[in-house]
Amino acid sequence: MSGSRERDSRVARIDAAIRVIPDFPKPGILFRDVTTLLLDHQAFKDSIDIFVERYKDLKIDVVAGIEARGFIFGPPVALAIGAKFVPIRKPRKLPGEVISEEYTLEYGTDCIEMHVGAIQSGERVLIVDDLIATGGTLQAAIKLIGNLENLSNLLQFLS
């Protein structure tokens, strides 16, 4: 199978494996539930393979996964490309010293945290998150990592 057609069939398989739930978590929202993708071994493998193909030659040092689904997709990508994995979590979930970044939601504010020293200045960072609604969490992660003076080396992965 040619590379182009193989990619098309993988994307179609991934798309078919993601359950769509109307009006969740509130009316008017069309929620794409990736937990059903995890039940389909081949579709899950295809999704990781596509991510790895996209980033394997970009000299990524760190894959930073945003809670919670960034924890599902980030570690296999990190292992496959030879990078370390750094979790970015909700407040008070990480032991030890952390740095934090607050961000605005539609209905208030939230915060994410990362261990101090988990990412070193100059490391190339790939951020993995499952979706972008308002972009607040991703922007906070970029600022959090940017506080480490890594912003010029930041690569974004939007799944």
Side-chain angles (χ1 to χ4, degrees):
M1 190 180 283
S2 77
S4 172
R5 284 194 309 202
E6 179 181 342
R7 266 190 285 281
D8 290 346
S9 69
R10 293 184 302 178
V11 171
R13 185 171 26 252
I14 292 165
D15 188 52
I18 297 172
R19 176 174 48 185
V20 178
I21 303 171
D23 299 319
F24 182 83
K26 61 184 185 179
I29 302 291
L30 193 62
F31 185 80
R32 300 196 187 290
D33 179 17
V34 298
T35 60
T36 53
L37 170 76
L38 304 175
L39 300 174
D40 182 331
H41 171 264
Q42 190 59 53
F44 183 39
K45 180 181 182 316
D46 288 344
S47 67
I48 298 302
D49 289 348
I50 289 170
F51 300 150
V52 168
E53 290 165 14
R54 183 172 185 179
Y55 294 103
K56 67 182 177 181
D57 297 324
L58 296 181
K59 299 178 182 164
I60 304 295
D61 301 301
V62 180
V63 174
I66 299 174
E67 188 169 346
R69 290 185 180 95
F71 296 0
I72 295 169
F73 294 97
V77 172
L79 284 171
I81 66 174
K84 64 184 176 181
F85 178 77
V86 173
I88 296 178
R89 301 217 55 192
K90 300 286 184 187
R92 297 171 302 283
K93 299 287 186 179
L94 293 170
E97 190 177 356
V98 297
I99 56 174
S100 18
E101 185 67 38
E102 192 171 279
Y103 61 99
T104 304
L105 301 165
E106 296 174 56
Y107 49 86
T109 61
D110 208 344
C111 183
I112 53 173
E113 297 180 337
M114 178 178 71
H115 278 124
V116 169
I119 299 175
Q120 304 301 310
S121 182
E123 288 185 312
R124 292 175 59 88
V125 178
L126 170 67
I127 297 174
V128 178
D129 198 359
D130 65 324
L131 61 88
I132 297 180
T134 64
T137 309
L138 180 61
Q139 287 176 343
I142 290 169
K143 287 179 184 175
L144 186 66
I145 293 166
N147 288 338
L148 303 171
E149 300 176 15
N150 288 350
L151 202 50
S152 64
N153 290 323
L154 183 66
L155 296 172
Q156 297 176 45
F157 166 74
L158 309 176
S159 58

